[in-house]
Every structure is written in C-alpha cells, then in structure tokens.
Amino acid sequence: MNQIESEGAAEVFSDEGFRIDMNPVAAKDDARQDVCVCVLNTCAVTTKAEQKARRTIRLLLKKFPNAILIVTGCYAQLSAKEISEIDERICVLPGLAKSALCGVPRKIKSALESRPGALDASDVLESDFDFESPRKSQVALAPFDLLPKTFFSHSRASLKIQDGCDNNCSYCAIHLARGKSVSLDAALALERILDLEREGHNEVVLTGVNVAQYSSVFGRKSLDIAGLLELILSRTKKIALRFSSIYPETASERFCDLIKDERVMPHFHLSVQSGSDAILKRMNRRYARQDVIEACRRLREAKERPFLACDIIAGFPGETEKDFSDTMDMLESCGFTNVHAFAFSPRRGTDAFYFTPKIPERIKDERVKILNEFSSAQKIRYIESFVGNVRHAIAESVHNSQTSCGAIPAGKKIMRALTDNFIHAEILLDEKRAAPKDGERVRVKILGAQKEKIVAGQEWEAFGELQ
C-alpha cells in the first residue's frame, strides 16, 4: 500500500518537472545541498515501525540540510504533534489527507520561482487546509488520487483497489490511521488495468488494507472482490493478476473457482495472526482456525502447489503455551510456505493496549524465533521441490552482487526475477545473451535454494537459469 502511494507521490512531482530519487538513504551517504524536498510515507503497524520512521526523519534532516520534509502516512495520522515537534522543517500531512500531495509540487515550484532559496513548511500547504474533516469522518480524502501511471522503482505494476477497514481488531491501529473501508470504482479499476495491459505491463498486483471488504457497482450489478476479479478476467486478455494479501474469508468457493484461471498467480498471503481460537476471539477477528484451514484447502485445490504465506503475531496478551502450540499446529496443517512473524506491539488507542496478562519480551522473542525457523525450513523445502522446474517470471533487475550459487566470474552479472509462484530467483547471466528488461516476462529454471539467505531473512532466496 505505502509503496504504490509513494510511487503516486513521485509521479506528481515528476509531472511538475522535479527530478526524482527513490533510492534508500544511508548514514554513510554524503550530505546533499541540491535537494529541496523529501517525502516520507510512514507506517504505524508496530512500535518498531514508528521508531524506524523517527530515525529516518532525523537522517533525512541531516543529509538534506536545505530540504523541507513532508511526513505523511499512518504514523503521521496518529502522531502528528509528536512528529512536528522534531524540527521546524517538517510539514506533517496526516495519512487521511495524503492525497493533498497532488497539489504540493505546483505550490513548491511556485514558491521556488518567486523566492529562490530554501523552502519552509508554509510553502507546502495552504494555512487553512482542512485536516479535521477526514479525521472526524474517518474517511480518507480522495483515497485513490495517488494512483500512479508510471512506476519509478518497481518492475511490476500495482493498483490500490481498496483502503481502510471496517473491522475493529483489538490490536490494530491501522483502521484508526486509514479510516473506514473505501473501494475504487470497478469501472475505474478495469480502465486502469486495461491501460496497464495496453502499455505492455505483464502483471499487476491488486492491493488494499482488507480486500475482503471491496464493494462497488458495475452497470447495475453489485460487486465484491470475487465479482471484481471476474470482471477483470473477462475484459482483459494477457495481463497477470496477483493479490498482495487476502483475509481467510476472501477465499470463498466462488473466489477459488475464479483463481483457477492461469492468469491469477499461484501466490496468496493470508492475514491470519493466530491459530488459537481463544486468541482469535480476543483479537476480535471474524474467523476461527478451522476457517483458515478450509481457506488454505480451497486455495490448494484451485492452484497447483501455490505459495501460501501468512502473518502471525507472537505473544498476544494472554497467549499461553497451548495457544502458541495451536498456532504451530495450524501452520503445519495448512502447510504455509512462509510466515511473517512479529512480536505483539501494544498500540495506543486500541483495546489490546490494556489487555493482560502481558507476555514477557523474552517469551515473545522465543516464539518469534520458533516461527522464523519454521518459516525458513518451509521455504527451503518449497523451493527445493521445484528444482528442475521451469517457471514463468518477471525480470526485476540486473546487478553485480554476490550470490551463494558461487563466485561471479569477471564481467558477468546477476539478474533477479520473481516467478509466478513468488520465488525470488537470482540468475547468472550468460555474457553472450542480452539481459532482459525490467518487467519483461521470462522463463526461469529453478536450480536450488539459497539457504543462507533464507535463514538470514534476505529476499533473494533461490538461484536459477534463463530458458
């Protein structure tokens, strides 16, 4: 979600003639005097995410001494005062008003033309800009205005089809930060995907906070997420579709019948959080462990050997050893390929902030470690089951980095590609063969798992060769 919105922000600046840089900033980098504005799109899903945002804010202020810093996103929605007090060069744009970024480049350009030199925060937004309206209504201001048509730092296109959430999960601050569920009009979604197909994109990732709550009308017909998927498949010809994440309830019989189409990629990330019915109830989730198991069963029946991933929170208040054992048992039963595990982080403003008994940090860390070890073993097993197989993939980049498939001969490079079933593969390029372009569809033979990288939590987890 944040990635595609950041791409949208980059596009509106680029359209006004600004030079865009989306590369990470490191402490070792030299300070730059030529940067006039930085935009930081923040997360607030955990305390660590907020801590990382604060570190990044201070780093940007140090490395770009002449720049104003626009801080937006979920952390900016929940803690605007705290952020603004860090430095006077900061302009806080609450996440629910993030679409106001669309008008910022022209204002900054005008300010620079009339008054050359360093900007200040007052150059970003009108002093009477209404922040209170979206906050009071808990509905994002023009939530789909930052939909990019070009992608500066991603090889695959994405489309935000839904935002916000009407659930009230006891641990989650995101429904507070992003507001009520809103959906992209189905006709606009279809038009955008048709544009991407015509422009030569081979894949589009459909994303949202909770796509299970997607709701729109096309013609006179009401559409849920399955209805939107059916519409897209019926009106497009070649472009592949992938979901960034789904809830267990998304995987209905109808949805799973539709995903049998070969253009829907065999990769599904489920928002699960726990395998204990007692903990799911305390979390105020709207499903039970058996629903997760049934969802995975239907997904496996629809797609051959899909990559199934999930999120799991370790150490939720009151989580007993039995509860954690139930979670591990569910993960085994479902055969998840990858687990995004993180320790429970109390979020102010949520019910679970006050829940007891608290789980000691030591036990949280132990459980996260067990989940990560399970995940690594599952991913290695999954990749090794495809050794010798040829998969469709999207070329991501070419670089000179080291890979555990062996030393790179002088003059050769490594290409990266993402397979249809979400295996991140590194390929040693034959110097006689032209490197594929980013976003190009290729065929990759899987040769093995990069076990060291998987255990270390690194993204590029397999090695292969082009076919």
Side-chain angles (χ1 to χ4, degrees):
M1 288 283 285
N2 272 11
Q3 287 175 356
I4 189 173
E5 289 166 347
S6 295
E7 290 275 15
E11 184 174 79
V12 296
F13 274 92
S14 179
D15 287 348
E16 285 295 328
F18 287 86
R19 189 171 75 250
I20 304 302
D21 187 346
M22 296 184 74
N23 291 314
V25 180
K28 65 181 180 180
D29 294 343
D30 294 332
R32 290 177 56 182
Q33 308 293 326
D34 62 332
V35 176
C36 65
V37 59
C38 299
V39 180
L40 179 62
N41 194 8
T42 62
C43 177
V45 71
T46 62
T47 301
K48 287 184 177 180
E50 293 184 352
Q51 291 171 346
K52 183 177 180 181
R54 288 192 294 274
R55 287 197 301 270
T56 304
I57 288 169
R58 293 187 175 94
L59 180 63
L60 293 172
L61 290 168
K62 180 180 179 181
K63 296 299 179 182
F64 307 111
N66 294 328
I68 57 167
L69 174 55
I70 303 172
V71 181
T72 189
C74 291
Y75 180 37
Q77 180 66 39
L78 299 176
S79 304
K81 186 174 184 294
E82 175 182 301
I83 296 168
S84 63
E85 290 175 347
I86 296 175
D87 193 278
E88 63 181 11
R89 285 195 284 142
I90 295 173
C91 174
V92 180
L93 183 56
L96 288 175
K98 186 183 298 180
S99 62
L101 278 169
C102 293
V104 167
R106 187 164 295 177
K107 275 190 60 63
I108 292 177
K109 188 175 180 180
S110 177
L112 289 171
E113 289 172 350
S114 62
R115 181 173 44 82
L119 297 164
D120 59 52
S122 64
D123 293 320
V124 175
L125 292 170
E126 301 291 347
S127 58
D128 61 349
F129 185 82
D130 182 13
F131 291 125
E132 287 300 304
S133 180
R135 186 185 68 82
K136 288 179 180 178
S137 67
Q138 273 294 289
V139 176
L141 177 70
F144 302 104
D145 275 11
L146 286 172
L147 292 184
K149 296 180 176 64
T150 56
F151 299 87
F152 293 86
S153 63
H154 292 85
S155 301
R156 294 174 298 135
S158 296
L159 179 65
K160 184 174 77 169
I161 59 171
Q162 186 273 341
D163 201 349
C165 186
D166 292 338
N167 292 351
N168 185 28
C169 297
S170 63
Y171 59 87
C172 184
I174 301 307
H175 73 283
L176 303 175
R178 284 191 172 266
K180 297 176 182 177
S181 178
V182 290
S183 300
L184 179 64
D185 180 78
L188 292 176
L190 177 61
E191 178 184 352
R192 183 71 193 101
I193 293 173
L194 285 168
D195 286 343
L196 292 170
E197 187 173 61
R198 283 190 289 266
E199 291 163 8
H201 287 277
N202 288 305
E203 180 179 312
V204 59
V205 183
L206 304 178
T207 186
V209 171
N210 183 353
V211 297
Q213 293 178 357
Y214 181 85
S215 178
S216 186
V217 174
F218 188 80
R220 296 184 179 180
K221 186 177 181 182
S222 296
L223 300 183
D224 58 8
I225 187 60
L228 178 66
L229 176 59
E230 183 176 35
L231 174 66
I232 295 169
L233 288 171
S234 67
R235 301 294 183 96
T236 59
K237 297 178 180 179
K238 298 187 299 181
I239 197 165
L241 306 172
R242 191 187 301 269
F243 289 90
S244 62
S245 67
I246 62 173
Y247 275 51
E249 57 262 42
T250 310
S252 64
E253 294 287 355
R254 183 181 176 215
F255 179 86
C256 289
D257 187 53
L258 289 165
I259 65 172
K260 292 176 183 178
D261 191 294
E262 63 179 8
R263 288 196 287 133
V264 179
M265 298 295 92
H267 156 234
F268 303 95
H269 186 108
L270 280 71
S271 180
V272 173
Q273 315 310 348
S274 178
S276 161
D277 280 337
I279 295 300
L280 288 170
K281 187 174 181 179
R282 291 200 87 195
M283 288 178 167
N284 202 26
R285 302 296 278 182
R286 299 185 179 186
Y287 53 84
R289 63 177 274 128
Q290 190 58 38
D291 296 320
V292 179
I293 293 170
E294 286 299 307
C296 291
R297 178 190 62 78
R298 288 192 288 268
L299 291 169
R300 289 187 183 282
E301 288 179 352
K303 308 297 280 190
E304 183 181 1
R305 290 196 289 170
F307 185 110
L308 297 184
C310 69
D311 300 311
I312 295 292
I313 297 173
F316 189 81
E319 184 184 61
T320 65
E321 288 295 336
K322 172 66 165 55
D323 293 323
F324 184 67
S325 177
D326 285 348
T327 294
M328 295 305 301
D329 179 68
M330 180 206 67
L331 295 174
E332 290 274 7
S333 298
C334 294
F336 281 108
T337 309
N338 184 59
V339 178
H340 176 211
F342 52 102
F344 169 72
S345 179
R347 313 304 295 128
R348 193 173 297 277
T350 66
D351 293 342
F353 185 83
Y354 304 99
F355 282 2
T356 58
K358 308 291 186 186
I359 305 302
E361 293 300 319
R362 174 183 57 81
I363 294 177
K364 289 184 190 178
D365 292 343
E366 288 174 356
R367 291 176 181 173
V368 168
K369 182 182 178 184
I370 291 169
L371 289 164
N372 286 337
E373 289 173 348
F374 170 85
S375 180
S376 295
Q378 287 290 97
K379 188 177 286 187
I380 290 169
R381 187 176 299 117
Y382 182 78
I383 292 171
E384 289 183 337
S385 74
F386 285 94
V387 169
N389 281 214
V390 176
R391 308 294 304 191
H392 292 291
I394 299 294
E396 296 258 323
S397 62
V398 176
H399 63 105
N400 296 301
S401 73
Q402 185 67 33
T403 176
S404 58
C405 59
I408 302 175
K412 290 207 172 184
K413 294 183 178 180
I414 292 294
M415 187 196 89
R416 289 173 169 172
L418 180 68
T419 67
D420 58 344
N421 59 338
F422 209 65
I423 296 175
H424 296 75
E426 292 187 312
I427 299 112
L428 185 64
L429 287 178
D430 185 335
E431 56 189 6
K432 297 180 181 179
R433 183 170 181 173
K437 297 179 181 178
D438 285 3
E440 184 177 337
R441 186 171 284 158
V442 295
R443 296 172 75 244
V444 174
K445 184 176 182 179
I446 303 299
L447 300 180
Q450 300 202 73
K451 297 180 182 180
E452 299 89 345
K453 290 191 174 185
I454 292 172
V455 172
Q458 296 177 19
E459 184 176 30
W460 298 96
E461 57 218 1
F463 54 94
E465 63 183 19
L466 286 179
Q467 296 296 291

PDB file of all heavy atoms in Angstrom, residues 409-413 428-435:
ATOM      1  N   PRO A 409      31.963 -14.823 -12.082  1.00  0.00           N
ATOM      2  CA  PRO A 409      33.123 -14.606 -12.955  1.00  0.00           C
ATOM      3  C   PRO A 409      33.229 -13.148 -13.372  1.00  0.00           C
ATOM      4  O   PRO A 409      32.228 -12.442 -13.455  1.00  0.00           O
ATOM      5  CB  PRO A 409      32.836 -15.521 -14.160  1.00  0.00           C
ATOM      6  CG  PRO A 409      31.857 -16.529 -13.654  1.00  0.00           C
ATOM      7  CD  PRO A 409      31.036 -15.828 -12.629  1.00  0.00           C
ATOM      8  N   ALA A 410      34.434 -12.694 -13.642  1.00  0.00           N
ATOM      9  CA  ALA A 410      34.666 -11.303 -14.047  1.00  0.00           C
ATOM     10  C   ALA A 410      33.829 -10.955 -15.268  1.00  0.00           C
ATOM     11  O   ALA A 410      33.746 -11.740 -16.227  1.00  0.00           O
ATOM     12  CB  ALA A 410      36.152 -11.098 -14.345  1.00  0.00           C
ATOM     13  N   GLY A 411      33.214  -9.793 -15.228  1.00  0.00           N
ATOM     14  CA  GLY A 411      32.436  -9.322 -16.365  1.00  0.00           C
ATOM     15  C   GLY A 411      31.021  -9.846 -16.433  1.00  0.00           C
ATOM     16  O   GLY A 411      30.259  -9.442 -17.302  1.00  0.00           O
ATOM     17  N   LYS A 412      30.661 -10.759 -15.529  1.00  0.00           N
ATOM     18  CA  LYS A 412      29.297 -11.300 -15.546  1.00  0.00           C
ATOM     19  C   LYS A 412      28.433 -10.609 -14.499  1.00  0.00           C
ATOM     20  O   LYS A 412      28.941 -10.000 -13.555  1.00  0.00           O
ATOM     21  CB  LYS A 412      29.327 -12.805 -15.320  1.00  0.00           C
ATOM     22  CG  LYS A 412      29.915 -13.570 -16.503  1.00  0.00           C
ATOM     23  CD  LYS A 412      29.371 -14.970 -16.574  1.00  0.00           C
ATOM     24  CE  LYS A 412      29.797 -15.666 -17.862  1.00  0.00           C
ATOM     25  NZ  LYS A 412      29.212 -16.998 -17.999  1.00  0.00           N
ATOM     26  N   LYS A 413      27.133 -10.721 -14.678  1.00  0.00           N
ATOM     27  CA  LYS A 413      26.197 -10.066 -13.776  1.00  0.00           C
ATOM     28  C   LYS A 413      25.114 -11.038 -13.331  1.00  0.00           C
ATOM     29  O   LYS A 413      24.925 -12.102 -13.923  1.00  0.00           O
ATOM     30  CB  LYS A 413      25.575  -8.847 -14.460  1.00  0.00           C
ATOM     31  CG  LYS A 413      26.559  -7.725 -14.756  1.00  0.00           C
ATOM     32  CD  LYS A 413      25.839  -6.529 -15.365  1.00  0.00           C
ATOM     33  CE  LYS A 413      26.819  -5.384 -15.605  1.00  0.00           C
ATOM     34  NZ  LYS A 413      26.157  -4.197 -16.186  1.00  0.00           N
ATOM     35  N   LEU A 428      22.639 -16.170 -12.975  1.00  0.00           N
ATOM     36  CA  LEU A 428      23.909 -15.738 -13.550  1.00  0.00           C
ATOM     37  C   LEU A 428      23.708 -15.577 -15.049  1.00  0.00           C
ATOM     38  O   LEU A 428      23.361 -16.521 -15.751  1.00  0.00           O
ATOM     39  CB  LEU A 428      24.997 -16.778 -13.260  1.00  0.00           C
ATOM     40  CG  LEU A 428      26.420 -16.413 -13.695  1.00  0.00           C
ATOM     41  CD1 LEU A 428      26.924 -15.193 -12.934  1.00  0.00           C
ATOM     42  CD2 LEU A 428      27.352 -17.603 -13.473  1.00  0.00           C
ATOM     43  N   LEU A 429      23.922 -14.353 -15.537  1.00  0.00           N
ATOM     44  CA  LEU A 429      23.662 -14.076 -16.946  1.00  0.00           C
ATOM     45  C   LEU A 429      24.801 -14.563 -17.836  1.00  0.00           C
ATOM     46  O   LEU A 429      25.976 -14.352 -17.530  1.00  0.00           O
ATOM     47  CB  LEU A 429      23.467 -12.576 -17.161  1.00  0.00           C
ATOM     48  CG  LEU A 429      22.146 -11.968 -16.668  1.00  0.00           C
ATOM     49  CD1 LEU A 429      22.148 -10.469 -16.906  1.00  0.00           C
ATOM     50  CD2 LEU A 429      20.951 -12.610 -17.356  1.00  0.00           C
ATOM     51  N   ASP A 430      24.421 -15.169 -18.915  1.00  0.00           N
ATOM     52  CA  ASP A 430      25.381 -15.544 -19.954  1.00  0.00           C
ATOM     53  C   ASP A 430      25.797 -14.263 -20.673  1.00  0.00           C
ATOM     54  O   ASP A 430      24.956 -13.506 -21.167  1.00  0.00           O
ATOM     55  CB  ASP A 430      24.707 -16.516 -20.926  1.00  0.00           C
ATOM     56  CG  ASP A 430      25.661 -17.054 -21.973  1.00  0.00           C
ATOM     57  OD1 ASP A 430      26.668 -16.363 -22.265  1.00  0.00           O
ATOM     58  OD2 ASP A 430      25.402 -18.139 -22.505  1.00  0.00           O
ATOM     59  N   GLU A 431      27.111 -14.009 -20.742  1.00  0.00           N
ATOM     60  CA  GLU A 431      27.593 -12.759 -21.328  1.00  0.00           C
ATOM     61  C   GLU A 431      27.221 -12.624 -22.801  1.00  0.00           C
ATOM     62  O   GLU A 431      27.219 -11.517 -23.353  1.00  0.00           O
ATOM     63  CB  GLU A 431      29.109 -12.653 -21.167  1.00  0.00           C
ATOM     64  CG  GLU A 431      29.877 -13.823 -21.755  1.00  0.00           C
ATOM     65  CD  GLU A 431      31.349 -13.779 -21.387  1.00  0.00           C
ATOM     66  OE1 GLU A 431      31.752 -12.931 -20.593  1.00  0.00           O
ATOM     67  OE2 GLU A 431      32.079 -14.634 -21.911  1.00  0.00           O
ATOM     68  N   LYS A 432      26.872 -13.730 -23.456  1.00  0.00           N
ATOM     69  CA  LYS A 432      26.502 -13.674 -24.863  1.00  0.00           C
ATOM     70  C   LYS A 432      25.019 -13.343 -25.048  1.00  0.00           C
ATOM     71  O   LYS A 432      24.578 -13.114 -26.170  1.00  0.00           O
ATOM     72  CB  LYS A 432      26.809 -15.014 -25.538  1.00  0.00           C
ATOM     73  CG  LYS A 432      28.289 -15.375 -25.550  1.00  0.00           C
ATOM     74  CD  LYS A 432      28.497 -16.720 -26.232  1.00  0.00           C
ATOM     75  CE  LYS A 432      29.974 -17.118 -26.233  1.00  0.00           C
ATOM     76  NZ  LYS A 432      30.189 -18.437 -26.866  1.00  0.00           N
ATOM     77  N   ARG A 433      24.289 -13.340 -23.957  1.00  0.00           N
ATOM     78  CA  ARG A 433      22.844 -13.130 -24.052  1.00  0.00           C
ATOM     79  C   ARG A 433      22.471 -11.757 -23.487  1.00  0.00           C
ATOM     80  O   ARG A 433      22.924 -11.376 -22.408  1.00  0.00           O
ATOM     81  CB  ARG A 433      22.111 -14.217 -23.261  1.00  0.00           C
ATOM     82  CG  ARG A 433      20.590 -14.144 -23.355  1.00  0.00           C
ATOM     83  CD  ARG A 433      19.979 -15.398 -22.755  1.00  0.00           C
ATOM     84  NE  ARG A 433      18.525 -15.380 -22.848  1.00  0.00           N
ATOM     85  CZ  ARG A 433      17.750 -16.410 -22.528  1.00  0.00           C
ATOM     86  NH1 ARG A 433      18.297 -17.532 -22.111  1.00  0.00           N
ATOM     87  NH2 ARG A 433      16.437 -16.312 -22.619  1.00  0.00           N
ATOM     88  N   ALA A 434      21.666 -11.026 -24.223  1.00  0.00           N
ATOM     89  CA  ALA A 434      21.234  -9.705 -23.768  1.00  0.00           C
ATOM     90  C   ALA A 434      20.368  -9.852 -22.523  1.00  0.00           C
ATOM     91  O   ALA A 434      19.524 -10.747 -22.434  1.00  0.00           O
ATOM     92  CB  ALA A 434      20.463  -8.996 -24.870  1.00  0.00           C
ATOM     93  N   ALA A 435      20.590  -8.985 -21.566  1.00  0.00           N
ATOM     94  CA  ALA A 435      19.817  -9.022 -20.330  1.00  0.00           C
ATOM     95  C   ALA A 435      18.378  -8.596 -20.581  1.00  0.00           C
ATOM     96  O   ALA A 435      18.134  -7.617 -21.294  1.00  0.00           O
ATOM     97  CB  ALA A 435      20.459  -8.112 -19.293  1.00  0.00           C
TER      98      ALA A 435
END
